[in-house]
């Protein structure tokens, strides 16, 4: 399907309207943030920086940013190193290397109970694949999801770990549930092949426990993921290194922009404090009157 060709002036108008709208909206959010009484709000603000408070109301951001910046990098480096060495020796061992790093992380940060739950879920879905039952795929999906949300919480209270780690564990196990269901449905829907049971289990293990997407995605269907799992080793050329570094810098740049914006645009805190928004609307009305 060919893309529509719009006149240059029309595109320019759209860009101008979009940028102006974003700037105007951001400015109004900034003005509304000045109406906050920081002393009466509690834990929604912290870190005074040149007179500006940081919006801490987004619990997910305050949970995941330290994880992405400080906890995850050495494990990602270990994942890349191990998978590259394994791919150089034998690409057939890559799924095992990928799942090994993820299981080590789970053991270290979430405990053996979570690791046992992860392995159990993968094994159960493998057995379902051997039975070739789509109904069982969906039937077991709900109980596993409930165990992720409620069952593991009971054991978590005895581990002494933080609430932030519990959130990460909860999110990652639900991602695991999604990957197992997706892999099973795709495999059962595909034409019958001579793939051995061991290979199917290995594929499921490598796909569902792929470390870079295990915690925050993005979700990739196995049809798109599978062909790259067993690809041959490629040497790290200067171009490949530059591409990797550029992608990393882009990631860090936007993380820094988002973090800095929390000192000026209290988007998340405004959601929980309706009186501030009401006061801002009243102020606008009085100024326009």
């Amino acid at each position: 399907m060919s893309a529509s060709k719009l006149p240059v002036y029309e595109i320019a108008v759209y860009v101008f309207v979009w940028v102006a709208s974003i700037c105007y909206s951001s400015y109004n959010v900034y003005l509304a943030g000045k109406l906050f009484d920081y002393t009466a709000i509690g834990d929604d603000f912290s870190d005074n920086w040149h007179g500006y408070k940081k919006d801490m109301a987004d619990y997910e951001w305050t949970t995941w940013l330290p994880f992405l910046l400080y906890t995850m990098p050495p494990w990602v480096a270990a994942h890349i190193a191990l998978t590259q060495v394994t791919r150089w020796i034998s690409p057939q061992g890559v799924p095992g290397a990928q799942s090994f790093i993820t299981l080590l992380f789970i053991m270290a940060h979430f405990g053996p109970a979570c690791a046992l739950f992860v392995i159990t879920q993968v094994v159960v879905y493998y057995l379902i694949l051997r039975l070739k039952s789509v109904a069982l795929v969906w039937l077991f999906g709900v109980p596993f999801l409930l165990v992720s949300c409620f069952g593991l919480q009971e054991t978590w209270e005895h581990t002494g770990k933080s609430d932030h780690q519990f959130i990460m564990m909860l999110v990652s196990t639900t991602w695991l549930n999604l990957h197992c269901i997706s892999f099973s449905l795709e495999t059962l829907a595909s034409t019958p092949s001579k793939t051995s049971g061991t290979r199917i289990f290995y594929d499921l293990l490598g796909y569902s426990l792929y470390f870079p997407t295990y915690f925050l995605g993005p979700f990739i269907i196995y049809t798109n993921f599978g062909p790259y799992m067993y690809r041959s080793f490629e040497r790290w050329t200067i171009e490949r290194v530059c591409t990797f570094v550029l992608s990393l810098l882009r990631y860090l740049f936007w993380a820094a922009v988002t973090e800095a914006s929390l000192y000026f645009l209290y988007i998340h805190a405004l959601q929980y404090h309706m009186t501030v928004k009401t006061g801002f609307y009243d102020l606008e009305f009085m100024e326009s009157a």
Side-chain angles (χ1 to χ4, degrees):
M1 183 175 63
S2 60
S4 60
K5 296 182 179 180
L6 298 176
V8 176
Y9 72 87
E10 185 176 351
I11 296 176
V13 170
Y14 291 152
V15 171
F16 174 78
V17 171
W18 179 78
V19 172
S21 301
I22 294 295
C23 292
Y24 177 75
S25 301
S26 300
Y27 177 67
N28 279 277
V29 172
Y30 169 74
L31 292 179
K34 290 188 173 183
L35 300 178
F36 275 107
D37 180 9
Y38 304 112
T39 59
I41 290 178
D43 298 332
D44 286 347
F45 294 93
S46 68
D47 299 336
N48 194 326
W49 181 65
H50 296 288
Y52 292 95
K53 291 283 188 176
K54 179 183 175 182
D55 183 357
M56 301 287 289
D58 186 359
Y59 188 79
E60 291 185 356
W61 180 255
T62 57
T63 297
W64 288 107
L65 184 64
F67 172 76
L68 293 173
L69 293 181
Y70 307 117
T71 305
M72 202 171 180
W75 290 90
V76 172
H79 165 84
I80 294 174
L82 182 59
T83 52
Q84 288 298 302
V85 171
T86 305
R87 197 180 300 278
W88 177 62
I89 297 173
S90 174
Q92 301 303 316
V94 169
Q98 292 177 169
S99 56
F100 176 72
I101 292 294
T102 305
L103 287 173
L104 274 183
F105 182 93
I106 294 171
M107 286 287 294
H109 289 268
F110 303 149
C114 184
L116 179 61
F117 171 74
V118 168
I119 296 173
T120 301
Q121 185 166 347
V122 173
V123 170
V124 168
Y125 273 100
Y126 166 70
L127 295 176
I128 292 174
L129 284 172
R130 301 298 290 172
L131 296 174
K132 300 180 180 180
S133 173
V134 174
L136 288 178
V137 172
W138 292 112
L139 183 63
F140 277 86
V142 174
F144 275 125
L145 193 61
L146 292 176
V147 172
S148 299
C149 297
F150 303 105
L152 291 178
Q153 186 174 7
E154 298 299 325
T155 61
W156 190 264
E157 297 175 355
H158 304 287
T159 62
K161 298 184 182 296
S162 66
D163 292 338
H164 290 287
Q165 288 176 301
F166 174 74
I167 294 296
M168 289 187 285
M169 182 273 298
L170 177 63
V171 172
S172 63
T173 50
T174 51
W175 272 107
L176 173 67
N177 186 274
L178 174 62
H179 283 110
C180 288
I181 291 176
S182 175
F183 180 89
S184 301
L185 293 177
E186 285 188 74
T187 302
L188 293 175
S190 62
T191 56
S193 62
K194 297 181 180 180
T195 305
S196 65
T198 304
R199 174 63 180 268
I200 292 176
F201 177 76
Y202 215 42
D203 290 349
L204 173 59
L205 197 66
Y207 171 66
S208 59
L209 296 180
Y210 181 62
F211 188 79
T213 60
Y214 183 76
F215 297 94
L216 293 172
F219 174 68
I220 307 171
I221 61 175
Y222 182 74
T223 303
N224 297 334
F225 180 89
Y228 293 94
M229 192 157 52
Y230 293 102
R231 65 181 178 181
S232 302
F233 174 77
E234 297 179 8
R235 292 186 178 276
W236 283 77
T237 61
I238 296 178
E239 181 181 358
R240 188 180 180 188
V241 172
C242 290
T243 301
F244 175 79
V245 172
L246 180 61
S247 299
L248 181 62
L249 291 176
R250 288 174 57 191
Y251 160 75
L252 293 175
F253 170 76
W254 286 113
V257 169
T258 304
E259 181 73 1
S261 68
L262 296 178
Y263 286 92
F264 306 97
L265 305 176
Y266 301 150
I267 299 174
H268 308 292
L270 285 170
Q271 300 178 49
Y272 302 107
H273 301 280
M274 299 297 294
T275 54
V276 174
K277 289 188 283 187
T278 303
F280 178 68
Y281 295 142
D282 293 340
L283 181 62
E284 277 194 324
F285 176 76
M286 288 187 294
E287 289 180 349
S288 61

